[in-house]
Amino acid sequence: GYEFVGENTYAVEITRDAHGHLVADPTQVTFVVKVVQGDGSESNPYRIRNAEDLKEFAKTVNDGELAACAELIADIDLNPGVTFHEDGSYQGGTPEQWTTIKDYNGIFNGNGKTIRGLYIDNESEYQGLFGENTGTIKNLGIIDSYVSAKKYVGSIVGRNGKGVVENCYNKGFVNGESNVGGIAGYTYGAVQNCYNTGNINGRGGIVGGIAGYVSCSNGALGVLAGLCNRGNITGQNNVGGIVGYF
């Protein structure tokens, strides 16, 4: 269904009539209407069509709707025309930084679509498209992007708790101090049927093409299956093509 949420902006001309009374005559009425598809439930997820929809979804989750479900119905470009380089430089304009989706517990279905131009450049922890996940993120590709932060850094998710990341891939650059991965910086959930072709760099250690750190202790799932890496992985210690530290 469609939910129409909007506000009206009125431009008016103030005049006086023949008796000297003030008269306000509307000369222009502009309706600013936002169309939201879906209600965020599993059976009727929010349907994301463009960058503005994706940013609004991130705000919705970060404002407390942690289990909101969504699906992409088109490829998304967060920074059109901008090209990123691995040294942190860029060309084609000034990119907009992504605000990480925190503490996610819903179902996010990329539907085989891509998100391009994901740009994060800070010294925070738990950084990526999602910061932390205990839900399901699936069928999604990150391409032509630059993600650089401190710890727990991944293109899809910084820290995958007892969640699932499946059928996802990364073709962008990821950089961090430690716990850095092409898909997830840290996971004790399931990461399956994912691949990475982007270059991944750790300024310290615990760096992997798919995940930096995989935990199997204290009841953690630590499930890995169907993974592939073809990117260059660099770091100081605990560096691996698939996993840095297991």
Side-chain angles (χ1 to χ4, degrees), residues 1-2 35-58 61 65 67-76 101 104 106-115 129-130 136-141:
Y2 292 84
V35 182
V36 179
Q37 300 185 46
D39 60 15
S41 65
E42 184 174 351
S43 60
N44 189 24
Y46 294 128
R47 286 177 278 284
I48 297 172
R49 306 155 299 169
N50 51 43
E52 292 307 311
D53 283 354
L54 186 59
K55 286 182 256 186
E56 184 63 27
F57 173 72
V61 176
E65 197 175 329
C69 298
E71 64 178 5
L72 299 188
I73 59 174
D75 294 329
I76 307 297
I101 302 171
Y104 188 61
I107 299 172
F108 188 92
N109 185 358
N111 270 333
K113 307 298 184 182
T114 60
I115 294 176
L129 179 67
F130 294 85
T136 298
I137 305 166
K138 60 184 180 180
N139 307 324
L140 177 64

Side-chain angles (χ1 to χ4, degrees), residues 178-190:
S178 66
N179 290 274
V180 184
I183 300 296
Y186 178 105
T187 181
Y188 57 94

Side-chain angles (χ1 to χ4, degrees), residues 1 4 17 32 46 50 56 91 96 152 158 161 179 189 192 196 198 201-202 229:
F4 294 90
D17 63 15
V32 180
Y46 294 128
N50 51 43
E56 184 63 27
Q91 61 189 60
E96 180 179 354
Y152 308 107
N179 290 274
Q192 50 201 25
N196 172 70
N201 178 65
N229 172 63

Side-chain angles (χ1 to χ4, degrees), residues 151-170:
K151 297 180 180 179
Y152 308 107
V153 188
S155 70
I156 299 290
V157 61
R159 177 179 178 271
N160 183 44
K162 292 184 179 179
V164 175
V165 178
E166 61 184 0
N167 301 322
C168 293
Y169 62 88
N170 172 60

Side-chain angles (χ1 to χ4, degrees), residues 133-244:
N133 173 58
T134 53
T136 298
I137 305 166
K138 60 184 180 180
N139 307 324
L140 177 64
I142 303 293
I143 63 173
D144 301 330
S145 296
Y146 181 89
V147 176
S148 180
K150 190 173 183 179
K151 297 180 180 179
Y152 308 107
V153 188
S155 70
I156 299 290
V157 61
R159 177 179 178 271
N160 183 44
K162 292 184 179 179
V164 175
V165 178
E166 61 184 0
N167 301 322
C168 293
Y169 62 88
N170 172 60
K171 295 184 177 182
F173 178 67
V174 181
N175 175 63
E177 182 179 298
S178 66
N179 290 274
V180 184
I183 300 296
Y186 178 105
T187 181
Y188 57 94
V191 179
Q192 50 201 25
N193 300 322
C194 295
Y195 71 89
N196 172 70
T197 61
N199 292 336
I200 313 301
N201 178 65
R203 300 188 297 273
I206 312 180
V207 189
I210 299 297
Y213 188 109
V214 177
S215 175
C216 294
S217 61
N218 299 321
L221 297 174
V223 175
L224 303 176
L227 306 176
C228 178
N229 172 63
R230 292 193 178 93
N232 294 321
I233 315 302
T234 55
Q236 300 303 309
N237 55 74
N238 294 309
V239 179
I242 299 295
V243 173

